[in-house]
């Protein structure tokens, strides 16, 4: 390859942290500036292979804050790197200076014209939020990357982002009308605006002169631009000088795709598009990858909106991910090698159905009859798009050090060369001893391809260099673009000159120097770049090693060790989504990177590898990082790479408390199963706490339980009745059931267990009374000990419980429980506490109450004699663990089996109670803030006679404390719905608003 004139050295070391820099920023900013090691570490990476520790992090609240940051940075010779969602693939938003996170505060709407279809937003605005805002008026912003739930408009403009539907709508430069920005010294200007003495320029004579110089530079290089710029839609490399030789150039388009190297964007004006009334999809099946690539251009000829590839890697890996398994089974028939998702959109459904017929005919004409699955229903289409948008992260779910690596991620070639190009790249992989993963935008010849390499291995890094250089040559041969969507960053800036040539590369350097003469704005990107394989810039540097914890409390062998489990976070940022699903509730409430699955995983990785200082793993700073993790387990299901922060928190707390001791509050909560029986006998005395404010205040002062929160009321506990059963009593058919009474329902809400007994008997089950083999204390899941990191004691409880249940399980009985956080411990943490066949059998034969009923109702094993409920409305809130384990469908199934019950499922994240979390004075405000995101607003709209259903003890308590409503376990709802002859509770009416 041709060498650039001058490669930049490794990015300058972090700016010298003399007292003046933090002090000056603190004096000048309305926002915040942070310089602690943990915050800097969290901002040292994006979704690329790179990591550069910044000098500090700025969270601006206004354009004035950014201007002040630029001026102060100049005083201290510190680079400035603007950052949005931090989801870039190539290292764009990282650097050694001040990282400016616009997403935290600088994310509002500045102007919106619903008639004209234009909107002006601050750069930190998340795309999905923007589209939610304009949807009611029939508009949307059509540049929709797969990261739409968390990417920001500023980041999209910086990268010149595209999206699945670019075939119809183009990329950012086709949809940006104007940009307001700041020059390197903080002076404001605007490009793309009109109405003053300098058409297209808003600002000083200096900005106008700069604009004129850029137009002159482009005109001087017109011939070279026309000869060297790739003739494909997906070209986002270099600077957009080609935009300035158009008949009516929009100067804003020079800033689009400039990756923050020319100016600091403060506002972006966008052109909106009309939402189509209908969309339909045809899922095209192919027996080989080559066949799909050869057929793509013929499908594009049918004028679809999108044609997206889902390759065999995604089909195989996705089938093992619970979140996607059902959808993939729904849209595939047989065993295709790969799929092309083809979408048509418009206002006439009949026309779109004819488009699907034409698609089917096209496939048949090319040798693939009956190879299209039609997806017309909007809900099904959303599920399919969720799979497509998660393709990258599904492939990143590969366990082990070798992962699909982004560096030739989005090369684009003309469609007529697509099949030959992909074959040639595959040969390059084979030659270098690896294979690749493919997905994405077949419609525009921009397939995201990632060879599988280990970035900890020097040999694989050398292979990466060889693959990059050979692929760059292939792209030139096929007259394509080396950077087709994700920008240049660190990964591809080195390859700008081989594609564009020396003359245009020097012109790009002239552009950079004109805007940023001191090379302070995001240096090393696009021009004068470092070597892309400089390992000193990698997340896994040559000396990277995990040193702690040396001995883990849980079994992490399935992940290759605790360190490997932490490293599964690839920073894709799915946890930053602000709506849909349940992840990550604390981030949704606070907006802080610290309180995010990604932020916590980064901190853990840096700590266990010694990059945050000695003993960082068990430091108070790490404790604060994990404090707002509510262990909801949403990341376990919704993080496409499977990061399980709830389990990691257990591991951390084990080591933290071993070093610092266990506080009284945690001791009281952890030991609850031990003293619950005795506490019940003292119920009249203990329950006085909530009647007298002075006692509540005392409990906060002494035990750390917030006086603003009521405590559960101790009751006469539920207990197993009758003689203990024996394993030989188990018949071995589906009717043998053991009802597991968890500590919470047993001690505080025995009526739930009593209702469950009646429903199970009415369904024809045989209930077996199981007592522990040693002593009479009830069996326990160990959840309370796990929540405090007391894994040794939790392991004892697990062993006791498994020993007691095992003979019955082997005889064919099933275990059923009511409390999701307890019962599902059998299916999750028990395997990490007691790995082996015994725990595996318990996991296999353990069911939530609603799962057992739904399973057997669906196959016709049981029937329940429900009475008609006369149209009564029931609002269902799901416990986080129900969602994590895919059990919400079971709750819906059993409630929909009740005639005359009108079920409304609340789309909500964590209720915010989360066991002990909601009792802590330091987190109670966040607890209620989580509930206010969606749960409380939905329930405030409920009617006075509506039911509220919540299977989690914590959820019911939160709803009572926050709204004064009584929520019920599904067992009680079903019990009352039984025909009167089957339930003594059948004739009772219970006011759900009473406590």
């Amino acid at each position: 390859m041709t060498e650039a004139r001058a490669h930049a050295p490794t990015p300058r070391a972090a700016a010298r942290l003399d007292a003046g820099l933090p002090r000056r920023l603190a004096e000048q900013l309305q926002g915040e500036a942070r310089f602690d090691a943990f915050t800097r570490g969290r901002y040292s990476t994006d979704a690329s292979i790179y990591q550069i520790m910044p000098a500090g992090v700025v969270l601006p609240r206004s354009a004035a804050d950014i201007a002040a940051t630029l001026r102060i940075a100049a005083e201290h010779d510190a680079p400035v790197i603007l950052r949005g969602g931090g989801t870039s693939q190539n290292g764009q938003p990282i650097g050694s200076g001040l990282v400016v996170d616009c997403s935290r505060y600088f994310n509002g709407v500045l102007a919106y014209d619903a008639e004209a279809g234009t909107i002006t937003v601050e750069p930190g605005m998340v795309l999905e939020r923007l589209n939610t805002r304009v949807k009611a008026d029939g508009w949307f912003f059509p540049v929709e990357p797969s990261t739409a739930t968390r990417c920001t408009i500023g980041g999209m403009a910086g990268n010149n982002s595209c999206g699945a539907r670019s075939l119809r709508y183009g990329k950012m430069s086709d949809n940006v009308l104007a940009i307001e920005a700041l020059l390197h010294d903080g002076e404001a200007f605007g490009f793309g605006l009109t109405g003053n003495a300098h058409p297209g320029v808003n600002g000083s004579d200096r900005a106008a002169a700069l604009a004129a110089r850029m137009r002159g530079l482009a005109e001087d290089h017109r011939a070279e631009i026309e000869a060297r710029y790739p003739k494909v839609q997906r070209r986002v490399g270099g600077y957009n000088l080609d935009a300035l030789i158009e008949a009516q150039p929009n100067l804003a388009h020079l800033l689009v795709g400039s990756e923050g190297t020319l100016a600091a964007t403060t506002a972006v004006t966008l052109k909106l598009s009309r939402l189509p009334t209908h969309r339909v999809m045809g899922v095209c099946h192919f027996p080989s990858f080559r066949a799909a690539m050869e057929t793509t251009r013929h499908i594009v000829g049918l004028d679809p909106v999108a044609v997206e590839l889902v390759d065999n890697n995604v089909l195989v890996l996705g089938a093992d991910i619970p979140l996607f398994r059902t959808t993939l089974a729904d849209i595939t028939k047989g065993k295709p090698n790969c799929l092309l998702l083809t979408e048509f959109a418009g206002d006439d459904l009949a026309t779109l159905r004819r488009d699907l017929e034409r698609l089917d005919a096209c496939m048949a004409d090319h040798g693939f009859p009956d190879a299209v699955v039609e997806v017309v229903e909007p809900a099904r289409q959303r599920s399919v798009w969720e799979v497509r948008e998660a393709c990258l992260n599904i492939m990143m779910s590969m366990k082990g050090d070798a992962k699909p690596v982004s560096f030739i991620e989005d090369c684009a070639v003309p469609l007529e060369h697509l099949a030959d190009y992909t074959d040639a790249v595959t040969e390059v992989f084979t030659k270098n001893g690896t294979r690749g993963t493919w997905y994405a935008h077949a419609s525009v010849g921009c397939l995201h391809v990632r060879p599988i390499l280990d970035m900890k291995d020097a040999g694989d890094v050398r292979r990466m260099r060889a693959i990059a250089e050979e692929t760059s040559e292939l792209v030139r041969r096929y007259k394509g673009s080396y950077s087709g969507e994700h920008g240049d960053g660190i990964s591809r800036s080195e390859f700008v000159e081989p594609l564009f040539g020396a003359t245009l590369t020097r012109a790009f350097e002239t552009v950079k120097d004109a805007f940023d003469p001191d090379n302070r704005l995001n240096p090393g990107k696009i021009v004068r770049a470092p070597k892309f394989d400089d390992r000193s810039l990698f997340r896994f540097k040559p000396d990277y090693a995990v040193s702690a914890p040396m001995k883990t409390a849980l079994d992490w062998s399935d992940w290759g060790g605790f360190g490997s489990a932490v490293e599964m976070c690839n920073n894709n940022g799915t946890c930053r989504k602000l709506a849909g699903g349940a992840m990550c509730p604390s981030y949704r409430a606070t907006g802080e990177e610290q309180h995010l699955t990604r932020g916590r995983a980064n901190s853990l990785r840096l700590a266990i590898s010694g990059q945050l200082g000695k003993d960082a793993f068990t430091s108070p700073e790490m404790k604060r990082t994990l404090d707002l993790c509510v262990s909801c387990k949403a990341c376990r299901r919704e993080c496409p790479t499977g990061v399980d922060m709830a389990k990691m928190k257990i591991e951390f707390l084990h080591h933290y408390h071993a070093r610092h001791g266990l506080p009284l509050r945690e001791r009281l909560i952890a030991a609850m199963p031990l003293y619950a029986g005795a506490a019940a006998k003292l119920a009249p005395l203990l329950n006085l706490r909530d009647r007298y404010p002075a006692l509540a205040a005392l409990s906060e002062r002494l035990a750390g339980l917030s006086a603003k929160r009521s405590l559960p009321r101790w009751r006469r506990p539920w207990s197993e009745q009758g003689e203990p059963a024996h394993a030989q009593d188990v018949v071995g058919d589906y009717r043998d059931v053991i009802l597991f009474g968890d500590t919470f329902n047993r001690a505080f809400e025995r009526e739930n267990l009593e209702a469950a007994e009646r429903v199970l008997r009415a369904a024809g089950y045989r209930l077996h009374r199981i007592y522990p083999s040693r002593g009479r204390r009830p069996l326990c899941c160990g959840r309370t000990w796990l929540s405090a990191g007391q894994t040794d004691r939790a392991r004892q409880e697990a062993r006791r419980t498994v020993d007691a249940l095992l003979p019955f399980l082997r005889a064919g009985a099933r275990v059923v429980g009511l409390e999701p956080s307890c019962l599902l411990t059998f299916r999750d943490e028990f395997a990490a506490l007691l790995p082996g066949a015994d725990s595996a059998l318990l996991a296999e034969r353990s069911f939530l109450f609603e799962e057992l009923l739904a399973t057997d109702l669906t196959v016709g094993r049981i029937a329940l004699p429900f009475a008609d409920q006369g149209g009564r409305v029931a609002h269902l809130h799901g416990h986080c663990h129900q969602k994590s384990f895919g059990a919400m469908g079971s709750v819906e199934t059993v409630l929909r089996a009740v005639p005359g019950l009108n079920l409304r499922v609340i789309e909500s994240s964590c209720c915010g109670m989360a066991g002990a979390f909601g009792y802590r004075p330091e987190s109670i405000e966040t607890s209620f803030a989580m509930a206010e995101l969606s749960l409380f607003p939905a329930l405030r709209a409920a009617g006075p006679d509506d039911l509220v259903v919540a299977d989690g003890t914590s959820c019911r308590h939160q709803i009572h404390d926050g709204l004064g409503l009584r929520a019920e376990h599904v067992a009680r709802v079903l019990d009352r719905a039984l025909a009167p002859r089957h339930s003594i509770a059948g004739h009772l009416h219970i006011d759900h608003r009473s406590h």
Side-chain angles (χ1 to χ4, degrees):
M1 61 174 282
T2 304
E3 283 292 328
R5 183 181 63 178
H7 278 288
T10 297
R12 67 186 98 176
R16 184 168 54 91
L17 286 181
D18 59 76
L21 181 60
R23 186 185 67 249
R24 290 275 287 125
L25 288 169
E27 291 171 350
Q28 294 291 317
L29 300 183
Q30 289 181 318
E32 304 169 48
R34 301 176 186 174
F35 294 88
D36 63 282
F38 274 72
T39 297
R40 292 163 53 224
R42 284 188 281 270
Y43 283 88
S44 65
T45 57
D46 58 354
S48 71
I49 62 175
Y50 302 105
Q51 174 182 300
I52 303 172
M53 191 68 72
V57 176
V58 174
L59 307 172
R61 291 183 180 271
S62 64
D65 275 357
I66 299 178
T69 300
L70 290 169
R71 290 192 297 269
I72 295 168
E75 295 172 8
H76 294 266
D77 192 29
V80 176
I81 304 97
L82 267 72
R83 177 182 174 111
T87 60
S88 299
Q89 302 289 326
N90 303 304
Q92 285 96 328
I94 61 175
S96 60
L98 293 174
V99 170
V100 180
D101 178 5
C102 295
S103 69
R104 178 68 181 93
Y105 300 118
F106 197 41
N107 54 24
V109 174
L110 299 173
Y112 172 42
D113 188 332
E115 292 187 7
T118 63
I119 190 167
T120 302
V121 299
E122 292 170 334
M125 167 64 73
V126 171
L127 174 59
E128 185 177 65
R129 281 206 159 176
L130 183 154
N131 276 333
T132 300
R133 170 73 181 269
V134 302
K135 182 178 181 180
D137 297 316
W139 298 104
F140 80 123
F141 187 64
V143 181
E144 297 178 293
S146 60
T147 54
T149 58
R150 62 267 192 200
C151 66
T152 65
I153 297 300
M156 291 171 64
N159 283 352
N160 200 1
S161 295
C162 305
R165 299 182 176 99
S166 66
L167 186 64
R168 174 72 55 87
Y169 298 105
K171 51 188 185 284
M172 282 298 286
S173 56
D174 300 306
N175 295 275
V176 169
L177 298 176
I179 288 179
E180 295 174 39
L182 301 169
L183 294 171
H184 66 97
D185 56 5
E187 181 180 316
F189 72 101
F191 279 174
L193 304 178
T194 59
N196 59 21
H198 307 287
V201 181
N202 182 27
S204 67
D205 290 341
R206 175 186 174 197
L210 186 59
R213 183 180 176 191
M214 293 300 100
R215 289 198 297 268
L217 180 69
E219 191 58 43
D220 291 344
H221 289 80
R222 176 182 285 272
E224 194 75 4
I225 289 169
E226 292 175 342
R228 297 299 298 255
Y229 272 62
K231 304 302 187 292
V232 290
Q233 184 208 54
R234 292 303 193 92
R235 194 283 305 161
V236 301
Y239 291 123
N240 292 331
L241 286 177
D242 58 332
L244 302 188
I245 62 172
E246 296 175 356
Q248 293 183 316
N250 184 336
L251 287 161
H253 296 167
L254 179 62
L255 299 181
V256 174
S258 64
E259 302 184 3
T261 62
L262 303 183
T265 297
T266 57
V268 185
T269 300
L270 305 170
K271 175 181 67 177
L272 303 174
S273 294
R274 280 294 178 189
L275 272 169
T277 307
H278 303 287
R279 300 183 192 274
V280 298
M281 178 184 290
V283 181
C284 303
H285 291 50
F286 292 92
S288 70
F289 184 79
R290 170 89 189 186
M293 297 300 95
E294 289 178 334
T295 311
T296 296
R297 57 178 170 157
H298 302 294
I299 294 176
V300 169
L302 302 176
D303 194 29
V305 172
V307 183
E308 295 286 293
L309 170 71
V310 174
D311 89 334
N312 192 254
N313 289 289
V314 174
L315 296 179
V316 172
L317 291 170
D320 287 332
I321 298 175
L323 190 61
F324 306 120
R325 185 181 299 132
T326 301
T327 299
L328 288 172
D330 176 44
I331 64 171
T332 55
K333 50 185 179 181
K335 292 189 176 180
N337 173 271
C338 59
L339 309 173
L340 287 179
L341 311 179
T342 305
E343 180 183 275
F344 299 92
D347 295 328
D348 181 58
L349 186 57
T351 299
L352 298 180
R353 289 187 180 277
R354 286 193 292 273
D355 287 335
L356 289 178
E357 293 172 1
R358 292 191 301 126
L359 176 64
D360 192 63
C362 176
M363 289 287 289
D365 289 345
H366 289 87
F368 311 110
D370 193 31
V372 179
V373 172
E374 295 185 1
V375 184
V376 178
E377 304 84 354
R380 287 179 71 204
Q381 291 180 54
R382 282 194 296 272
S383 296
V384 177
W385 277 113
E386 285 172 3
V387 173
R388 158 57 195 95
E389 289 163 0
C391 278
L392 164 61
N393 298 318
I394 289 173
M395 291 187 295
M396 293 301 289
S397 68
M398 294 180 183
K399 293 180 179 176
D401 289 336
K403 295 281 195 302
V405 179
S406 172
F407 59 99
I408 55 169
E409 168 79 7
D410 56 349
C411 302
V413 298
L415 286 182
E416 61 266 27
H417 301 311
L418 188 58
D420 290 339
Y421 167 75
T422 54
D423 275 356
V425 173
T426 299
E427 289 176 12
V428 170
F429 294 162
T430 302
K431 172 184 170 183
N432 286 280
T434 187
R435 61 187 177 88
T437 61
W438 301 83
Y439 70 99
H441 318 301
S443 59
V444 286
C446 181
L447 290 178
H448 295 334
V449 55
R450 293 188 170 207
I452 298 170
L453 299 167
D454 178 5
M455 290 294 94
K456 297 178 182 177
D457 181 83
D460 272 10
V461 174
R462 287 192 293 272
R463 279 184 277 276
M464 181 174 73
R465 161 67 64 178
I467 291 169
E469 293 185 349
E470 292 180 57
T471 302
S472 173
E473 180 58 37
L474 285 172
V475 169
R476 279 189 290 166
R477 182 196 311 170
Y478 288 113
K479 301 186 185 304
S481 168
Y482 194 66
S483 184
E485 178 174 13
H486 294 156
D488 291 329
I490 300 173
S491 299
R492 286 196 282 272
S493 293
E494 181 183 342
F495 295 87
V496 166
E497 183 160 345
L499 181 71
F500 289 95
T503 300
L504 283 178
T505 302
R506 302 293 85 76
F508 294 159
E509 291 170 357
T510 299
V511 173
K512 169 68 172 173
D513 293 344
F515 277 89
D516 182 27
D518 295 328
N519 192 30
R520 185 165 292 111
L521 295 175
N522 206 7
K525 318 294 165 59
I526 301 181
V527 298
R528 305 187 183 102
K531 294 287 188 179
F532 89 105
D533 54 349
D534 180 349
R535 295 187 71 193
S536 71
L537 306 180
F538 281 15
R539 186 181 307 175
F540 302 120
K541 301 180 190 331
D543 60 350
Y544 178 89
V546 172
S547 58
M550 299 304 294
K551 183 178 180 181
T552 58
L554 301 175
D555 179 63
W556 296 93
S557 57
D558 285 351
W559 298 85
F562 180 66
S564 295
V566 172
E567 291 165 6
M568 285 298 292
C569 177
N570 68 351
N571 285 277
N572 66 78
T574 303
C575 43
R576 286 178 63 97
K577 62 185 179 181
L578 299 171
M583 182 175 69
C584 180
S586 49
Y587 172 75
R588 293 184 184 187
T590 68
E592 288 277 2
E593 181 77 17
Q594 174 181 348
H595 304 138
L596 182 66
T597 304
R598 179 179 75 176
R600 296 173 183 125
N602 274 325
S603 295
L604 284 169
R605 176 180 54 80
L606 291 165
I608 63 177
S609 58
Q611 297 180 68
L612 295 178
K614 188 174 183 295
D615 296 325
F617 177 63
T618 52
S619 67
E621 291 85 355
M622 182 62 73
K623 176 69 160 52
R624 286 192 289 272
T625 297
L626 288 166
D627 264 348
L628 295 193
C629 171
V630 293
S631 298
C632 65
K633 295 183 185 285
C635 52
R636 176 190 177 276
R637 178 177 175 85
E638 295 178 30
C639 173
T641 61
V643 172
D644 189 344
M645 190 53 59
K647 192 175 291 184
M648 292 177 189
K649 185 175 182 179
I650 293 171
E651 183 71 50
F652 162 75
L653 288 174
H654 169 86
H655 296 273
Y656 180 83
H657 290 312
R659 178 182 174 191
H660 297 281
L662 191 65
L664 174 62
R665 177 177 61 200
E666 278 68 25
R667 289 180 185 275
L668 287 172
I669 293 169
M672 185 184 298
L674 296 179
Y675 64 75
K681 297 176 182 178
L682 299 174
L685 178 63
L686 294 177
N687 291 339
L688 289 176
R689 184 264 191 191
D690 289 342
R691 294 178 59 185
Y692 297 99
L695 292 178
L698 183 64
S699 75
E700 179 172 323
R701 191 160 58 250
L702 297 180
L705 301 172
S706 175
K708 298 178 181 178
R709 177 75 73 178
S710 69
L711 297 182
R713 293 181 61 80
W714 294 98
R715 310 267 301 283
R716 176 178 59 82
W718 178 85
S719 62
E720 296 86 343
Q721 301 298 315
E723 292 299 315
H726 302 283
Q728 57 265 33
D729 297 332
V730 176
V731 175
D733 61 13
Y734 69 88
R735 297 181 184 276
D736 294 294
V737 168
I738 300 162
L739 180 59
F740 172 73
D742 61 274
T743 299
F744 306 108
N745 280 299
R746 187 187 291 270
F748 305 124
E749 296 181 271
R750 66 176 183 271
E751 57 271 21
N752 293 335
L753 288 160
E754 292 163 354
E757 288 179 302
R758 290 190 290 270
V759 173
L760 292 170
R761 287 198 188 97
Y765 292 105
R766 288 186 293 271
L767 298 182
H768 297 274
R769 308 292 184 184
I770 307 299
Y771 294 92
S773 57
R774 295 184 294 275
R776 300 283 290 184
R777 185 169 63 82
L779 298 177
C780 178
C781 68
R783 167 58 54 194
T784 56
W785 280 287
L786 288 171
S787 69
Q790 303 302 289
T791 53
D792 292 339
R793 186 55 204 250
R795 188 173 289 108
Q796 293 175 21
E797 293 299 308
R799 184 76 269 168
R800 191 170 70 97
T801 298
V802 169
D803 287 346
L805 295 175
L806 205 54
F808 297 87
L809 301 175
R810 288 171 175 162
R814 291 180 288 178
V815 178
V816 60
L818 303 190
E819 174 59 36
S821 63
C822 293
L823 188 283
L824 293 172
T825 303
F826 297 166
R827 301 226 293 258
D828 191 7
E829 287 88 356
F830 269 34
L833 291 167
L834 299 171
D838 292 352
S839 293
L841 180 61
L842 176 58
E844 177 188 332
R845 302 196 65 79
S846 296
F847 296 84
L848 287 171
F849 173 77
E850 58 271 15
E851 288 182 309
L852 181 81
L853 295 179
T855 299
D856 291 348
L857 278 170
T858 300
V859 299
R861 285 176 172 174
I862 63 171
L864 284 165
F866 292 126
D868 192 287
Q869 300 301 295
R872 193 173 189 188
V873 174
H875 302 270
L876 174 63
H877 164 71
H879 187 284
C880 291
H881 293 189
Q882 284 176 301
K883 297 170 186 173
S884 174
F885 286 83
M888 283 302 295
S890 296
V891 194
E892 295 182 43
T893 296
V894 296
L895 287 173
R896 294 189 195 282
V898 179
L901 190 66
N902 183 2
L903 181 63
R904 298 180 184 174
V905 180
I906 300 171
E907 182 69 30
S908 57
S909 183
C910 179
C911 74
M913 189 67 185
F917 179 83
Y919 292 105
R920 292 163 24 185
E922 64 270 27
S923 59
I924 191 167
E925 289 185 9
T926 304
S927 171
F928 282 120
M930 291 181 190
E932 290 291 355
L933 291 172
S934 53
L935 176 60
F936 281 4
L939 290 180
R940 287 192 185 99
D945 295 322
D946 292 356
L947 294 172
V948 179
V949 184
D951 284 357
T953 297
S954 292
C955 305
R956 295 191 294 273
H957 199 107
Q958 177 79 318
I959 290 167
H960 169 265
D961 278 4
L963 298 178
L965 300 179
R966 178 171 184 164
E968 297 181 302
H969 193 282
V970 68
R972 296 191 67 192
V973 177
L974 298 183
D975 181 36
R976 279 203 313 280
L978 290 172
R981 67 179 182 275
H982 292 279
S983 172
I984 61 173
H987 66 282
L988 296 179
H989 171 76
I990 299 179
D991 182 357
H992 78 285
R993 291 181 178 270
S994 64
H995 179 43

